[in-house]
Amino acid sequence: MRASSGSKTVKDPTPKTRFEQPSPLRRLLVHLSPQRRLVLAAAACSLLNKLFDLAPPALIGLAVDVVVRGQQSLLAGFGLATVAQQLWMLALLTFVIWAAESLFEYLYDVLWRNLAQITQHRLRLEAYDHLQQLELAFFEQDSSGRLMTVLNDDINQLERFLDRGANQILQLITTVLVVGIGMAVVAPEVAMFAYLPIPVILWGSLRFQRQLAPRYREVRACAGDLASRLANNLGGMLTIKSFTAEALELEQLSRESQAYRSSNARAIRLSAAFIPLIRFAILFAFLSILLVGGFQALNGQLPVATYSVMVFITQRLLWPLTALGRTLDEYQRSMASAKRVLDLIDTPITIRSGPTALNLQLVRGEVRFEAVHFAYSQRLPLLQGFDLVVQAGSTVGIVGATGSGKSTVVKLLLRLYEHQKGRILLDGRPIEQLQLQDLRRAIALVSQDVYLFHGTVAENIAYGVSHPDRDAIQRAAQLAEVAGFIDTLPDGYDTLVGERGQRLSGGQRQRIALARAILKDAPVLVLDEATAAVDNDTEAAIQRSLEQITRDRTTVVIAHRLSTVRHADRIVVMDSGRIVEQGTHESLLNLGGVYANLWRVQAGEGSIAS
């Protein structure tokens, strides 16, 4: 099935501004600030490990110096008179250095991995928590597959970089600084040849980095498109099968997968060319040290021990630079992922909670819409000067054609969208002033599109209720006329409903959702086409239950089937975002207008006049 937003038109949620955003690395460091001590400890262990790792070439030089110069060696100056004493000291130093190197390798490995896991956990929770606070329009404009990629793949990519890449960068910088300074001190003329390729390598690395960055952004975008396609198709498998569109969907998925493969291939071709080019720069430096240093050692201009150290240390200086391409590759991948994650976290929250707490025990449930204006994004206005009063404890039915604005009224009441003008009040208080969670706790919604979570029947009925009582769950099921069906299930209330409740019929899911709303016991009950998927007998049973449920409770019933609202205290008829008729069932029939015409059609007594 085709994604509603179009797989190629999904955009990053962060709005463009004329101010350039900080780099993803700087933004990431801000989010890492609570782990500052852990970052510093891990970095210190990485630096100490590299310092001890660079010591063995110096030990080799000292060993050569002892063998060649004997009692005139450098170690002899520290009071070690005999060669044997000097060799034993070298052995002791070697043991200490190797032990220290191993210790700090263990420590940095543990610390960096812990940092990676903590960061992964915190960022995923922060991103998901922020996502839950975004308005409903955000989810309608974006794809669930792309968001899943951000919350899962992108955060995992960032975790992989912190696990390995950060340590590699620190150790590479340490190597270049320590070895470069050391070579400059002991043999500046020879060291110059080791320095020559470094600017070339750095220039090439930065150039590769600039070219890789947009390619990896494209890779992550294609990954999101592919995930969106898969999530969309898995959710629409019934439609795919019923329309025998398997071949079509496989072809479309093949195109998405090929786009991801091609974008990866373009990035791989560029990153793979880096190391071979760097090898030649290193080869030039190594040959220069080998020849120039060798001739100086033969002529007595350079001590043999120093020459030995230079040959070994040159590899330690330059060879790690071959890993620079791989490290930059991981860095660019992780920064592309970090940008997507942080862009999601930085998406502005447009619907903010109000400051006033709401005591649910004192809520009467009076609802008022006063001159409310509302339009969906990039669409014509739907509600213009909309007025509606629902008295506390009364039942109001809202009917009308599809697109007349019935469900929009409920979404505005729950602040799933923000109205542009006018006021919406609960018990005389504007809903913008109320704490958002308190407002929504005061309203129990049974929507037209029922969503059940993968879990048991009891868990779905008790969803959102802390420490639910089993007897209360069963009473709610009985009121919703679903208890008899639940008793026929293999495990009763402990039967798993499957993902999205796919093991149940539409009517069964809707009755479980009604039981969920009953158990919530909110002062305001909203039924948005709550009986649309049930048969006539079940609807009649639910109507009997509603007589008990709605007693002393404010109830708004949105329905297409007029039989659902015929016993309401007042029925409101909407058309194109306006109230065109209102009254009781009998008064509206006597009026002979829109409602009466709809009733005759549904009763099979006539047709809608053109």
Side-chain angles (χ1 to χ4, degrees):
M1 296 176 66
R2 195 174 296 275
S4 61
S5 57
S7 60
K8 292 297 181 185
T9 58
V10 176
K11 298 181 180 180
D12 286 338
T14 304
K16 303 293 183 184
T17 65
R18 63 189 182 92
F19 300 104
E20 188 176 348
Q21 279 190 328
S23 69
L25 179 59
R26 290 181 59 187
R27 296 168 68 191
L28 179 61
L29 289 175
V30 172
H31 282 268
L32 288 176
S33 57
Q35 278 76 48
R36 186 180 296 108
R37 291 184 178 179
L38 184 56
V39 172
L40 293 175
C45 289
S46 292
L47 295 178
L48 289 170
N49 168 261
K50 180 49 64 176
L51 290 175
F52 285 111
D53 179 59
L54 293 172
L59 293 176
I60 292 173
L62 289 173
V64 172
D65 188 47
V66 169
V67 172
V68 173
R69 299 174 61 197
Q71 296 182 351
Q72 280 74 45
S73 69
L74 182 63
L75 285 178
F78 290 92
L80 302 172
T82 66
V83 173
Q85 290 176 329
Q86 295 175 33
L87 291 176
W88 277 109
M89 177 57 69
L90 280 175
L92 178 61
L93 287 173
T94 301
F95 177 82
V96 171
I97 287 171
W98 280 64
E101 179 191 357
S102 300
L103 173 63
F104 286 111
E105 182 175 1
Y106 167 78
L107 291 176
Y108 83 63
D109 198 24
V110 170
L111 292 173
W112 282 119
R113 289 189 179 188
N114 284 342
L115 176 65
Q117 293 300 317
I118 291 172
T119 303
Q120 179 191 46
H121 176 70
R122 287 186 68 256
L123 276 180
R124 181 173 285 125
L125 291 184
E126 185 178 356
Y128 178 74
D129 181 55
H130 187 84
L131 192 65
Q132 289 189 126
Q133 298 180 56
L134 296 177
E135 70 282 5
L136 201 60
F138 174 85
F139 299 93
E140 295 174 350
Q141 295 167 3
D142 213 328
S143 70
S144 59
R146 194 197 75 87
L147 295 175
M148 281 291 294
T149 302
V150 173
L151 292 172
N152 191 35
D153 292 351
D154 286 324
I155 290 179
N156 289 344
Q157 178 67 45
L158 191 55
E159 179 258 342
R160 285 191 291 270
F161 173 73
L162 290 174
D163 200 1
R164 299 186 303 267
N167 170 68
Q168 291 171 352
I169 290 176
L170 280 174
Q171 292 203 333
L172 183 61
I173 294 172
T174 303
T175 299
V176 171
L177 291 177
V178 173
V179 175
I181 293 172
M183 291 178 69
V185 170
V186 299
E189 296 89 355
V190 181
M192 177 184 64
F193 292 98
Y195 300 154
L196 286 178
I198 292 180
V200 177
I201 293 172
L202 293 177
W203 172 81
S205 300
L206 293 175
R207 183 168 182 179
F208 268 81
Q209 179 183 354
R210 284 195 297 269
Q211 294 185 16
L212 277 171
R215 299 195 183 197
Y216 281 129
R217 282 197 295 270
E218 180 186 356
V219 168
R220 299 317 305 160
C222 289
D225 292 339
L226 181 59
S228 177
R229 171 69 61 184
L230 288 169
N232 198 42
N233 285 13
L234 290 175
M237 194 56 67
L238 174 61
T239 305
I240 292 173
K241 288 181 176 294
S242 64
F243 282 86
T244 62
E246 292 91 343
L248 172 63
E249 292 302 332
L250 180 62
E251 180 184 350
Q252 291 178 335
L253 180 63
S254 175
R255 284 200 296 269
E256 299 283 1
S257 184
Q258 182 59 43
Y260 176 64
R261 177 185 172 190
S262 299
S263 62
N264 248 320
R266 287 190 289 272
I268 290 170
R269 280 195 298 270
L270 183 60
S271 63
F274 179 78
I275 291 179
L277 294 175
I278 297 302
R279 284 178 182 270
F280 280 98
I282 293 173
L283 176 63
F284 167 79
F286 185 74
L287 291 176
S288 300
I289 296 290
L290 189 68
L291 293 174
V292 175
F295 285 122
Q296 287 192 0
L298 286 174
N299 296 332
Q301 297 174 290
L302 187 69
V304 175
T306 303
Y307 174 63
S308 302
V309 173
M310 296 287 285
V311 170
F312 281 104
I313 208 70
T314 299
Q315 281 191 315
R316 290 297 186 96
L317 171 66
L318 299 177
W319 193 251
L321 294 176
T322 60
L324 189 60
R326 189 181 307 109
T327 303
L328 286 177
D329 184 82
E330 289 186 2
Y331 173 79
Q332 285 300 341
R333 285 179 182 269
S334 64
M335 288 303 104
S337 294
K339 183 179 185 303
R340 285 160 57 90
V341 174
L342 297 175
D343 282 351
L344 176 59
I345 292 175
D346 292 339
T347 302
I349 297 173
T350 58
I351 298 179
R352 296 282 182 179
S353 180
T356 306
L358 193 62
N359 187 339
L360 297 185
Q361 304 300 321
L362 302 178
V363 174
R364 296 182 296 107
E366 183 191 68
V367 175
R368 286 181 176 270
F369 287 75
E370 297 180 351
V372 172
H373 287 64
F374 174 75
Y376 289 102
S377 176
Q378 299 179 345
R379 288 165 62 180
L380 294 174
L382 179 57
L383 302 181
Q384 298 186 72
F386 181 80
D387 292 295
L388 175 66
V389 179
V390 182
Q391 297 293 340
S394 68
T395 298
V396 171
I398 302 179
V399 300
T402 301
S404 60
K406 306 186 299 294
S407 296
T408 299
V409 170
V410 174
K411 293 175 180 177
L412 294 178
L413 176 60
L414 283 163
R415 291 194 71 199
L416 299 175
Y417 290 88
E418 204 78 292
H419 59 281
Q420 283 90 37
K421 292 182 181 179
R423 296 197 307 167
I424 303 175
L425 304 100
L426 177 63
D427 288 349
R429 285 176 289 189
I431 59 175
E432 298 86 1
Q433 296 179 7
L434 303 176
Q435 291 184 5
L436 197 55
Q437 286 196 336
D438 286 352
L439 170 67
R440 291 173 181 170
R441 286 193 185 107
I443 303 170
L445 171 67
V446 182
S447 65
Q448 181 176 356
D449 299 320
V450 174
Y451 191 98
L452 298 185
F453 296 89
H454 182 60
T456 67
V457 172
E459 288 170 345
N460 273 281
I461 293 176
Y463 183 75
V465 178
S466 59
H467 309 297
D469 180 71
R470 187 70 170 217
D471 292 337
I473 293 174
Q474 293 176 349
R475 284 196 300 272
Q478 289 169 355
L479 285 173
E481 297 287 338
V482 74
F485 156 71
I486 295 174
D487 290 336
T488 66
L489 295 174
D491 297 315
Y493 286 85
D494 296 320
T495 302
L496 292 173
V497 301
E499 188 176 4
R500 300 181 65 92
Q502 60 187 359
R503 297 180 184 176
L504 307 178
S505 70
Q508 292 162 351
R509 290 196 295 268
Q510 211 153 27
R511 281 181 283 167
I512 288 176
L514 178 59
R516 178 192 292 169
I518 293 170
L519 185 62
K520 186 178 180 181
D521 194 27
V524 179
L525 175 65
V526 177
L527 306 177
D528 186 359
E529 300 284 6
T531 60
V534 300
D535 54 44
N536 291 332
D537 291 339
T538 304
E539 182 189 14
I542 291 177
Q543 288 291 347
R544 291 193 300 271
S545 300
L546 288 178
E547 293 179 9
Q548 301 179 52
I549 300 167
T550 60
R551 190 174 297 133
D552 300 324
R553 188 192 310 272
T554 304
T555 307
V556 177
V557 183
I558 295 172
H560 176 71
R561 294 159 67 169
L562 302 186
S563 58
T564 306
V565 299
R566 63 177 299 178
H567 299 297
D569 299 320
R570 184 160 52 101
I571 299 171
V572 173
V573 184
M574 293 187 64
D575 181 37
S576 301
R578 297 179 298 111
I579 296 177
V580 294
E581 294 176 359
Q582 56 181 311
T584 63
H585 173 72
E586 289 75 14
S587 66
L588 291 174
L589 287 181
N590 293 332
L591 187 64
V594 175
Y595 182 86
N597 194 21
L598 288 172
W599 179 262
R600 285 195 299 270
V601 171
Q602 293 190 14
E605 299 176 0
S607 59
I608 297 177
S610 59

